């Protein structure tokens, strides 16, 4: 395009926007990232929630694949993969369940004996899906050989499982988490812990139908085969490395540059995106506008529904993208002393059973915040001392369930009630923690939506459910990173393979755009 | 606070009803609605020949189909189009919203004018056709054969300043068609009606209200459509029938309409096209190109719903095209298959509507035909019955470019006097 100095504009410096831009720039595209916030990382960024105390939003990574780290040479930009974290199902009586690698302790012997085989099975299945996550999935009805091969590759991997295993794979794919887990395990805490990663971020509880297994298998594709990880120096290292990698390739990044709208120009040749207008009125043109913002924000707020066909817009409108996870950050005067725990570098689940999660969900289904929330807790300052003043610490909790559309629209009272419920649960499992809290912050999905410009405040920019995954993410005619609007592309968590820290949507998008 | 009616009051009410009549109509929601003109129309429906259209009771014919048809062509007649769906679409975004929805360029429509249009799915398959009346800047009436609420709601999503209201039950509408219509309207005192051009709109005071008259219709002849507040319906009817008495005014129904519209080359839902949102099978619906409505698709517009798919369809060319044909002989080619050869070996299409046309004096039909065979021979295999005995014949067909019936008076302003 004449007069524009950029080949590509990327909306958002979240981890996917950074990954996408880095690959585009590496291929010689002059790329500019425009980020509304003052820092990079988006939902994987770090926030100072009270003076001197910061917490990473995504506080651990499970799904980040090695291929991604290698392709962008993130190690050379300071990313050092940390060891696998243990996941602990906390018990009020100190009899916790620990899961790491192939080892389960604190549950029954039978559970411990069954775990390695269960894990190996899921890892085999995760491997089958790997080529699927890492490719652009062909449009339904597409018939080129190259595209067909992507499915063939998956099918071949599936065949290589053997007949029994293949049937088992197909059987479990659509199970609710509860059915998957309680076929094998009996300890209630272990059951809850093992179902957690299939649910978190979505509007789902253990009994919910609609495929929790598929997103869980995506998470199993990470460096530790499903175990979570915090890089050396903390979660911030991921964003730092991605930003450095992108800048090294020549990507320009502008912070504090919220985009008001994507500019659409129409003529007899049709309409196309030709650039963006910033909130401050500045106009920047480029032939490619690539949005890492979620689909609803991109299509409706930045472009506007009228630019799309009626049924397409209607499908985007109906996307389920209401967040159900709140974030609780606390500044601590010191680390709690939790009976039965040795150090606090792991991931701690406060959810004693399937039912505890399910009942918490029941409240949320009808628009209330859970009366007895369940949560996942980490202490990020244990991994990254820079997050808190010396000797002090930070607690980060992902709390379920907190509906974005809470009945009272998150009135002051509702927030107080929910915060108190979180505090009670923490105190019961980590006695004395209340007296260590100097300052705390509750981020409901509504707050997350406002601070991070993501519709519904959804972790994954949209439910990770079968009808919104694969070649349907976010919906057909926009599932190949291109959109019905010429010149507009998507590259965020709302596209295949979805949310969580993977960098895959960003990378797949860049590859597709460069084709 | 409302008080509950007591059981006593209830039984008293029951005893006031005529004997044998239940106080509760168990089928109330199922009964057909009646139009503002119903009282008069029911009296004239000598054959009690009723059908249903969008929940309204409406006549197939009143007396005799051929007679009604002859009235349309030689005198004048009224056809109750109240059941046609009417939406008032208003607001600063009304034009943009309609422009996104329909394939035609609404920008070009001037105040006081009407345009024929269609709208399509994202795949470019036709949902419905209708007319848009530009009542004022930012104020339109859209009519459609079937309810369009759901589609309008979807099409309006994303526009902040537009409202759409279903006015179907609030407006009585009569299609008044035939060579005498202008004379009758003049006699009613609608001064200047003879200056109204085709697809134009005029308003006149009537019965303490306003009547809207558009020079539109579905017969291909001189004709008008009259739009009035529902409760003024009977007043309009009586005035019209009084003025029309000397001009042979006669109500006509669906059957006569269907004849007249075929001569004019107009399409009917579920005869020529299946509404896309209601078809079950893939591609059992049609694109505007297949229906010969390519002229309604304005690719100069940068965007409208279905544009990308229609552009593809245009490039690819439709598989079948709705074509006007004349068939030798006088046996209507209803439901005929069409062939390239007299031996009927290579099938190339089928007939959607057919009739012996009294005005054109020809055996006419609309047919879906594969475009590549349009230039060669076309043969119709016609089945018919002679005193109940099944017969068939093979008849040669000729493609016709123009509508079968196009009287000059249909376009003349002022229309010729009688
Ligand atoms: C509280 C929370 C905790 C999470 N924890 C984990 C976890 O522990 N592990 C894990 O794997 N995943 C976690 N997730 C999910 C994961 O963080 C996200 O799925 C992922 O970070 C999404 O990355 P993204 O780059 O696609 O989008 P985002 O990170 O949302 O980036 C989009 C960027 O676009 C910017 N933007 C949007 N609109 C505009 C505009 N108009 N102008 C300019 N810029 C704009 C935003 O500011 C944002 O920076 C968590 C999510 C949340 C909300």
């Amino acid at each position: 395009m004449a007069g524009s100095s950029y080949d590509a504009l990327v909306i958002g410096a979240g981890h996917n926007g950074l990954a996408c831009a880095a690959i585009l720039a590496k291929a010689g595209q002059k790329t500019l990232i425009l980020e509304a916030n003052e820092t990079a990382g988006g939902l994987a960024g770090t926030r100072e929630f009270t003076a001197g105390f910061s917490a990473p939003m995504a506080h651990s990574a499970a799904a980040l694949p090695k291929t991604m780290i290698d392709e962008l040479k993130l190690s050379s930009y300071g990313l050092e993969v940390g060891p696998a974290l243990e996941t602990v199902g906390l018990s009020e009586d100190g009899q916790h369940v620990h899961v790491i690698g192939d080892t389960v302790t604190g549950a029954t012997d039978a559970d411990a004996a069954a775990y390695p085989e269960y894990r190996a099975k899921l890892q085999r299945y995760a491997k089958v899906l790997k080529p699927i996550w890492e490719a652009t999935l062909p449009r339904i009805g597409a018939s080129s050989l190259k595209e067909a091969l992507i499915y063939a590759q998956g099918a071949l991997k599936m065949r290589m499982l053997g007949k029994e295993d293949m049937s088992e794979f197909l059987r479990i794919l659509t199970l609710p988490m509860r059915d998957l887990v309680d076929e094998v395990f009996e300890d209630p805490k272990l059951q809850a812990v093992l179902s957690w990663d299939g649910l978190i971020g979505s509007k789902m509880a253990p009994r919910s139908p609609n495929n929790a297994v598929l997103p869980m298998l995506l998470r199993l594709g990470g460096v530790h085969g499903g175990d979570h990880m915090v890089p050396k120096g903390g979660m911030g290292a991921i964003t730092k490395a991605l930003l450095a990698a992108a800048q090294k390739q020549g990507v320009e990044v502008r912070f504090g540059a919220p985009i008001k709208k994507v500019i659409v120009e129409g003529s007899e040749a049709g309409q196309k995106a030709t650039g963006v207008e910033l909130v401050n009125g500045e106009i920047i043109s480029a032939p490619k506008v690539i949005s890492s913002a979620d689909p609803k924000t991109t299509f409706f707020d930045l472009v506007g529904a009228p630019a799309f066909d009626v049924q397409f817009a209607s499908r985007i409108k109906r996307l389920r993208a209401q967040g159900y996870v709140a974030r609780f950050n606390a500044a601590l005067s010191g680390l709690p002393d939790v009976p039965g725990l040795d150090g606090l570098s792991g991931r701690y689940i406060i959810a004693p059973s399937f039912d505890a999660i399910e009942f918490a969900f029941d409240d949320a289904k009808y628009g209330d915040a859970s009366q007895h929330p369940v949560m996942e807790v980490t202490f990020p300052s244990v991994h990254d001392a820079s997050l808190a003043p010396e000797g002090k610490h930070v607690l980060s909790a992902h709390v379920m369930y907190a509906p974005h559309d809470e009945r009272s629209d998150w009135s002051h009272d509702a927030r107080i009630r929910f915060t108190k419920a979180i505090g009670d649960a923490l105190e019961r499992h980590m006695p004395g923690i209340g007296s260590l809290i100097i300052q705390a912050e509750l981020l409901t999905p509504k707050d997350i939506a406002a601070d991070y410009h993501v519709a519904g405040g959804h972790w994954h920019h949209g439910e990770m459910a079968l009808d919104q995954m694969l070649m349907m993410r976010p919906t057909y005619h926009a599932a190949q990173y291109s959109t019905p609007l010429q010149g507009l592309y998507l590259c965020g968590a709302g596209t295949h393979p979805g949310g969580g820290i993977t960098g895959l949507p960003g990378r797949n998008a860049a590859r597709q755009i460069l084709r | 606070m409302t008080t509950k009616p007591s059981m006593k009051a209830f039984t008293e009410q029951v005893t006031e009803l005529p004997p044998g009549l239940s106080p509760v109509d168990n089928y109330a929601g199922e009964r057909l609605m009646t139009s503002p003109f119903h009282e008069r129309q029911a009296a004239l429906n000598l054959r009690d020949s009723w059908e249903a259209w969008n929940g309204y009771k409406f006549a197939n014919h009143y007396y005799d189909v051929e007679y009604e048809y002859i009235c349309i062509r030689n005198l004048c007649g009224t056809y109750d189009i109240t059941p046609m769906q009417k939406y008032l679409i208003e607001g600063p975004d009304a034009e943009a919203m309609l422009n996104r929805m329909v394939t035609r360029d609404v920008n070009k429509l001037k105040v006081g004018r009407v345009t024929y249009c269609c709208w399509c799915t994202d795949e470019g398959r036709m949902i419905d056709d209708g007319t848009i009346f530009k009542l004022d800047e930012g104020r339109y009436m859209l009519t459609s054969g079937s309810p369009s609420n759901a589609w309008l709601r979807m099409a309006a999503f994303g526009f902040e300043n537009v409202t759409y209201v279903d006015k179907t039950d609030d407006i009585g509408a009569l299609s008044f068609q035939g060579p005498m219509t202008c004379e009758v309207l003049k006699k009613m005192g609608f001064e200047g009606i003879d200056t109204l051009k085709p697809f134009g709109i005029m308003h006149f005071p009537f019965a303490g209200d306003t009547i809207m008259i558009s020079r539109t219709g579905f017969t291909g002849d001189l004709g008008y459509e009259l739009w009035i507040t529902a409760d003024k319906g009977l007043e309009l009817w009586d005035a019209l029938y009084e003025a029309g008495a000397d001009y042979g005014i006669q109500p006509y129904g669906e059957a006569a309409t269907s004849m007249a519209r075929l001569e004019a080359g107009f399409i009917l839902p579920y005869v020529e096209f299946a509404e896309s949102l209601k078809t079950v099978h893939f591609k059992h619906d049609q694109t505007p190109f297949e229906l010969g409505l390519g002229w309604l698709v304005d690719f100069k517009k940068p965007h409208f719903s279905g544009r990308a798919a229609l552009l593809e369809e245009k490039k690819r060319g439709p598989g079948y095209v709705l074509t006007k044909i004349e068939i030798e002989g006088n046996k209507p080619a209803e439901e005929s298959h069409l062939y390239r050869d007299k031996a009927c070996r290579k099938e190339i299409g089928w007939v959607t509507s057919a009739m012996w046309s009294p005005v054109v004096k020809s055996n006419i039909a609309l047919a879906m035909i594969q475009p590549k065979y349009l230039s060669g021979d076309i043969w119709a295999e016609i089945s018919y019955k002679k005193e109940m005995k099944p017969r068939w014949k093979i008849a040669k067909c000729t493609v016709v470019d123009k509508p079968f019936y196009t009287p000059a008076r249909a376009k003349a302003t002022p229309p010729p006097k009688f």
Side-chain angles (χ1 to χ4, degrees):
Chain A
M1 174 177 208
S4 94
S5 45
Y6 298 102
D7 298 311
L9 301 177
V10 174
I11 302 176
H15 83 291
N16 279 316
L18 291 170
C20 181
I23 295 166
L24 289 176
K26 195 171 167 195
Q29 299 273 303
K30 197 158 171 6
T31 306
L32 169 67
I33 303 183
L34 295 156
E35 167 59 52
N37 290 347
E38 296 298 336
T39 55
L43 297 178
T46 300
R47 82 186 261 125
E48 187 175 41
F49 60 94
T50 182
F53 292 85
S54 300
M57 285 295 276
H59 63 200
S60 62
L64 186 65
K66 188 166 175 309
T67 49
M68 190 68 214
I69 299 172
D70 292 347
E71 177 165 349
L72 289 174
K73 301 202 171 62
L74 296 182
S75 317
S76 63
Y77 300 102
L79 181 67
E80 206 178 310
V81 171
L85 298 187
E86 70 165 354
T87 299
V88 181
L90 288 185
S91 176
E92 289 182 39
D93 61 9
Q95 302 298 305
H96 314 304
V97 166
H98 300 254
V99 184
I100 183 164
D102 275 345
T103 313
V104 165
T105 54
T108 63
D109 289 348
D111 282 350
Y115 187 67
E117 196 191 315
Y118 169 85
R119 181 167 186 255
K121 182 172 89 172
L122 292 185
Q123 279 177 343
R124 279 200 306 283
Y125 300 161
K127 228 180 235 156
V128 169
L129 292 169
K130 222 159 164 114
I132 302 271
W133 305 134
E134 307 220 352
T136 297
L137 290 186
R139 195 156 274 193
I140 302 161
S143 51
S144 89
L145 183 63
K146 198 172 165 206
E147 292 179 321
L149 277 175
I150 295 164
Y151 287 123
Q153 224 179 336
L156 186 69
K157 287 223 171 195
M158 209 158 89
R159 288 299 295 271
M160 279 159 54
L161 286 172
K163 200 168 152 212
E164 285 280 296
D165 222 12
M166 185 171 92
S167 307
E168 178 65 5
F169 173 65
L170 292 174
R171 183 186 74 86
I172 68 151
L173 259 188
T174 52
L175 287 182
M177 277 322 280
R178 183 173 182 129
D179 295 338
L180 177 77
V181 172
D182 80 358
E183 281 177 352
V184 185
F185 303 102
E186 55 196 18
D187 182 275
K189 279 193 297 295
L190 181 63
Q191 289 177 334
V193 163
L194 294 182
S195 70
W196 191 263
D197 278 349
L199 310 175
I200 181 89
S202 292
K203 185 189 177 183
M204 265 189 254
R207 282 186 197 274
S208 304
N210 200 344
N211 202 273
V213 178
L214 208 51
M216 193 183 62
L217 291 177
L218 168 61
R219 284 164 203 173
L220 255 63
V223 281
H224 291 305
D227 280 348
H228 284 237
M229 174 280 284
V230 172
K232 192 128 182 285
M235 284 298 284
I238 298 176
T239 299
K240 252 180 246 158
L242 277 168
L243 180 61
Q247 284 172 330
K248 178 81 181 192
Q249 299 295 349
V251 174
E252 257 179 75
V253 190
R254 274 173 64 182
F255 294 105
I259 289 163
K260 186 169 152 211
K261 62 175 191 181
V262 170
I263 295 167
V264 178
E265 281 176 16
S267 72
E268 292 184 14
Q271 53 175 10
K272 60 181 180 201
T274 59
V276 298
E277 183 187 330
L278 304 192
V279 169
N280 69 13
E282 187 183 344
I283 286 172
I284 306 172
S285 314
K288 290 189 279 287
V289 176
I290 305 157
S291 175
S292 76
D294 66 280
K296 287 194 186 195
T297 299
T298 304
F299 290 126
F300 295 162
D301 298 346
L302 296 180
V303 179
F308 299 94
D309 283 5
V310 170
Q311 290 169 308
F312 177 83
S314 184
R315 286 203 302 280
I316 297 297
K317 184 179 166 206
R318 289 196 314 255
L319 283 180
R320 301 190 307 289
Q322 300 285 319
Y324 275 76
V325 186
R327 175 55 175 274
F328 180 77
N329 289 320
L332 303 178
S333 56
L335 282 178
D337 187 10
V338 184
L341 286 188
D342 190 12
L344 287 172
S345 62
R347 195 163 68 110
Y348 305 97
I349 311 280
I350 299 183
S353 65
F354 279 143
D355 281 351
I357 307 176
E358 197 72 45
F359 292 157
F361 184 63
D362 286 346
D363 295 329
K365 272 199 295 203
Y366 305 105
D368 294 315
S370 304
Q371 295 174 57
H372 302 290
V374 290
M375 66 196 80
E376 164 191 313
V377 182
T378 67
F379 296 88
S381 51
V382 170
H383 302 278
D384 178 0
S386 73
L387 296 175
E390 194 160 348
K392 304 215 163 50
H393 280 279
V394 171
L395 173 148
S396 153
H398 296 155
V399 189
M400 301 200 292
Y401 295 86
H404 174 273
D405 290 335
E406 198 266 347
R407 197 188 293 266
S408 71
D409 201 23
W410 287 107
S411 66
H412 181 71
D413 283 356
R415 298 175 69 97
I416 298 283
R417 233 180 294 128
F418 197 58
T419 307
K420 202 173 162 312
I422 295 169
D424 286 351
L426 284 171
E427 187 65 37
R428 268 186 282 113
H429 292 85
M430 302 174 173
I433 191 146
S435 60
L436 299 173
I437 296 179
I438 307 166
Q439 186 65 260
E441 167 188 65
L442 174 70
L443 293 173
T444 68
K446 237 182 132 80
D447 303 323
I448 294 170
D451 287 6
Y452 295 91
H453 318 102
V454 50
H458 197 289
W459 267 44
H460 307 306
H461 291 194
E463 281 291 296
M464 299 277 279
L466 202 50
D467 60 313
Q468 296 188 173
M469 285 184 78
L470 304 170
M471 59 282 183
M472 311 274 269
R473 189 168 185 86
T475 182
Y476 41 101
H477 294 305
Q480 284 73 32
Y481 309 101
S482 60
T483 71
L485 178 61
Q486 211 190 321
L488 178 72
Y489 302 84
L490 297 178
C491 75
T495 61
H496 172 74
I501 299 177
T502 66
L504 291 175
R507 190 200 65 176
N508 290 354
R511 286 185 179 173
Q512 187 67 14
I513 291 162
L514 290 169
R515 260 170 47 151
Chain B
M1 217 179 96
T2 54
T3 48
K4 266 190 188 167
S6 69
M7 195 60 196
K8 185 162 166 286
F10 183 66
T11 47
E12 267 167 15
Q13 215 181 317
V14 171
T15 54
E16 280 167 22
L17 286 164
L21 199 68
S22 153
V24 180
D25 180 358
N26 289 325
Y27 307 102
E30 290 296 316
R31 294 194 193 279
L32 293 175
M33 296 179 285
T34 54
S35 94
F37 313 109
H38 184 72
E39 215 179 304
R40 302 288 184 271
Q41 292 183 149
L44 291 169
N45 198 326
L46 305 180
R47 303 294 174 233
D48 250 338
S49 174
W50 298 105
E51 290 181 1
W53 180 17
N54 293 335
Y56 276 93
K57 194 169 196 173
F58 112 116
N60 175 281
H61 61 285
Y62 288 82
Y63 168 56
D64 176 80
V65 177
E66 264 73 35
Y67 176 73
E68 289 164 28
Y69 160 82
I70 284 163
C71 288
I72 302 173
R73 288 297 178 226
N74 299 294
L75 301 161
C76 60
T78 61
Y79 173 56
D80 188 354
I81 52 170
T82 301
M84 195 161 68
Q85 305 291 286
K86 312 169 212 78
Y87 302 93
L88 189 62
I89 300 173
E90 279 182 294
D93 287 341
E95 179 184 298
M97 179 247 160
L98 284 168
N99 244 342
R100 181 230 195 164
M101 179 171 130
V102 307
T103 60
R104 236 180 156 169
D105 195 348
V106 182
N107 249 319
K108 294 181 180 157
L109 189 63
K110 297 200 174 71
V111 174
R113 301 286 300 162
V114 184
T115 190
Y116 174 58
C117 66
C118 70
W119 49 99
C120 298
T121 63
D122 290 13
E123 306 294 334
R125 325 291 303 178
M126 204 162 104
I127 294 169
D128 208 345
D129 61 352
T131 48
I132 297 175
F133 291 61
K134 184 160 184 178
L135 305 173
D136 204 341
E137 290 303 336
R139 191 154 183 266
Y140 299 84
M141 181 172 83
L142 173 80
T143 69
S144 62
S146 288
S148 305
N149 293 291
W151 191 257
L152 283 171
R153 178 172 157 193
M154 281 164 70
F157 173 70
F159 293 97
E160 281 174 19
N161 294 306
V162 62
T163 57
Y164 56 92
V165 185
D166 187 343
K167 287 285 189 188
T168 305
D169 300 343
D170 304 338
I171 300 174
L174 278 181
S175 190
F176 183 44
Q177 303 285 306
M180 307 290 184
T181 47
C182 187
E183 292 301 306
V184 174
L185 293 176
K186 275 196 287 192
K187 196 172 164 196
M188 284 174 79
F190 298 131
E191 205 151 315
I193 189 69
D194 52 346
T195 64
L196 184 60
K197 294 202 176 104
F199 291 101
I201 304 170
M202 278 184 158
H203 290 88
F204 299 94
F206 181 81
D209 206 330
T210 300
I211 184 171
M212 179 169 85
I213 302 181
S214 55
R215 189 165 163 193
T216 45
F218 205 48
T219 58
D221 206 325
L222 176 64
Y224 301 84
E225 287 170 337
L226 318 177
W227 315 82
I228 187 90
T229 315
D231 60 13
K232 295 280 159 46
L234 291 182
E235 270 175 86
L236 171 62
W237 182 279
D238 292 342
L240 189 64
Y241 272 70
E242 194 188 318
D246 293 343
Y247 297 86
I249 192 168
Q250 161 74 25
Y252 65 96
E254 175 63 11
T257 300
S258 188
M259 292 173 73
R261 68 88 202 178
L262 174 52
E263 292 172 335
F266 297 145
I267 58 171
L268 276 182
Y270 296 103
V271 181
E272 272 72 39
F273 75 98
E275 296 170 11
S276 179
L277 297 177
K278 296 177 189 163
T279 53
V280 175
H281 292 283
F282 183 56
K283 293 197 173 167
H284 278 196
D285 46 12
Q286 291 77 26
T287 68
F289 293 107
E290 287 177 296
L291 294 165
L293 298 178
W295 59 280
L296 291 183
V297 184
D298 191 345
F299 287 117
K300 288 196 179 125
K301 281 203 294 184
H303 178 251
F304 54 85
S305 207
R307 186 182 188 276
L310 285 169
L311 205 53
E312 283 294 304
E313 162 90 353
K314 194 182 176 189
K315 274 189 215 140
R316 204 173 34 232
Y320 286 84
V321 203
L322 191 72
T323 310
K324 292 177 267 300
I325 52 174
E326 275 181 347
I327 304 149
E328 64 178 7
N330 60 5
K331 297 279 175 280
E334 272 159 14
E335 301 190 357
S336 288
H337 292 255
L338 300 177
Y339 299 88
R340 191 178 63 169
D341 50 334
K342 198 172 180 182
C344 299
R345 272 192 291 263
K346 174 70 191 164
E347 194 177 334
I348 58 171
W350 67 92
V351 167
T352 58
S353 314
M355 71 185 275
W356 167 261
S357 164
V359 277
V360 189
K361 310 239 175 320
S362 166
N363 198 17
I364 63 171
L366 290 176
M368 294 297 276
I369 305 176
Q370 295 179 38
K372 62 183 169 210
Y373 296 113
L374 283 175
S375 51
D377 279 3
I378 300 171
W379 297 88
E381 184 186 29
I382 305 172
S383 307
Y384 62 101
K385 282 184 176 162
K386 192 155 193 177
E387 306 213 311
M388 291 170 63
K389 267 198 146 173
R391 299 275 177 97
W392 62 277
K393 66 179 276 191
I394 312 295
K396 191 150 195 228
C397 309
T398 317
V399 172
V400 178
D401 290 331
K402 293 260 157 16
F404 302 107
Y405 181 60
T406 49
R409 63 180 174 240
K411 294 214 171 91
T413 309
K417 289 199 177 100
F418 274 87

